[in-house]
Amino acid sequence: MVKSFTAAIILLFVTCLPVYAQSSILLSQRTENGEIFVSARLHGLPDTFIQEVQNGIKKEIEYNVELMRTWKSWLDEYVEGKTVIRTIKYDVIKKQYHLTSLEGRYIYEKTVKNLEDALDWLTKLTDIRLVRIDGLQQGRYYVRVRMESRRIKLPPLFKVLLFFVPEVEFSSSKSSPVFLLNK
């Protein structure tokens, strides 16, 4: 009895190990009409992620786009940020992908039939309006994009009991070069 219980726990632990994919983010930012716009593209989705999507499992990628101010002798300061949550769900009966994007207060929905179109939309952020620069102080700034995909959201009681099961499937982050804002 004890051996079978131990084997079940080990099997659960091994199957829930995080997938450390070689995900990378291409990041670009531009200033136009007094605002900072950020575009990002995620490369290198794990094969298991794509297979689970094609099997009908709903997946989610959360992007955090942040403007940071650098200081010489202190920690970097968080100035402003946006969160974008993209989800993908494959309908195995209709053979189409249902996509949603939660950007602040707005939800955008889209349906496509092609996997490449769905993954392209899931992994690309285009011209996210980050902040107006007229309200910022003069200084050195950079943009940071962090993304992560969670496996499943466990209820709080199960989180305590299954503390060894990682929640994050894969993650990546990228920072832009430092730029000056002078008024």
Side-chain angles (χ1 to χ4, degrees):
M1 176 73 176
V2 172
K3 289 181 182 180
S4 62
F5 180 72
T6 305
I9 294 294
I10 290 172
L11 181 63
L12 178 66
F13 180 70
V14 169
T15 58
C16 294
L17 285 176
V19 177
Y20 294 108
Q22 296 298 325
S23 299
S24 64
I25 298 175
L26 296 177
L27 172 65
S28 66
Q29 109 273 335
R30 64 182 169 82
T31 304
E32 184 178 303
N33 297 331
E35 292 182 310
I36 297 176
F37 292 91
V38 178
S39 296
R41 184 163 202 39
L42 173 67
H43 287 285
L45 285 174
D47 292 335
T48 56
F49 182 89
I50 297 169
Q51 287 172 353
E52 289 176 357
V53 166
Q54 290 177 322
N55 289 334
I57 298 173
K58 183 177 180 179
K59 291 292 190 172
E60 177 180 284
I61 296 179
E62 181 176 324
Y63 296 90
N64 292 307
V65 182
E66 302 167 335
L67 179 66
M68 304 293 288
R69 183 174 181 191
T70 62
W71 293 97
K72 291 181 183 176
S73 301
W74 198 248
L75 299 174
D76 294 345
E77 174 188 4
Y78 170 84
V79 177
E80 184 71 31
K82 301 280 179 166
T83 300
V84 177
I85 300 172
R86 297 266 171 104
T87 59
I88 183 171
K89 173 86 167 93
Y90 182 62
D91 188 341
V92 294
I93 296 171
K94 294 181 181 177
K95 304 247 186 264
Q96 62 187 12
Y97 297 90
H98 182 70
L99 309 166
T100 59
S101 179
L102 177 62
E103 300 175 18
R105 299 180 294 177
Y106 302 103
I107 296 177
Y108 302 99
E109 295 183 304
K110 184 177 180 178
T111 303
V112 296
K113 292 194 177 270
N114 189 354
L115 175 64
E116 278 71 32
D117 293 340
L119 292 178
D120 181 59
W121 182 85
L122 182 70
T123 59
K124 182 169 63 171
L125 298 178
T126 305
D127 290 337
I128 299 296
R129 184 175 294 153
L130 189 56
V131 69
R132 292 201 50 83
I133 59 174
D134 56 357
L136 298 176
Q137 297 177 356
Q138 182 175 330
R140 298 168 37 126
Y141 293 87
Y142 65 94
V143 174
R144 177 173 61 191
V145 175
R146 293 180 300 150
M147 63 72 50
E148 69 179 15
S149 174
R150 298 179 195 268
R151 285 190 179 273
I152 52 171
K153 292 183 180 175
L154 296 172
L157 178 63
F158 290 116
K159 279 185 183 180
V160 173
L161 294 174
L162 300 172
F163 63 91
F164 54 86
V165 177
E167 290 183 55
V168 176
E169 187 172 1
F170 64 93
S171 65
S172 185
S173 72
K174 176 82 173 201
S175 297
S176 73
V178 174
F179 57 93
L180 295 173
L181 285 181
N182 297 324
K183 295 191 178 180

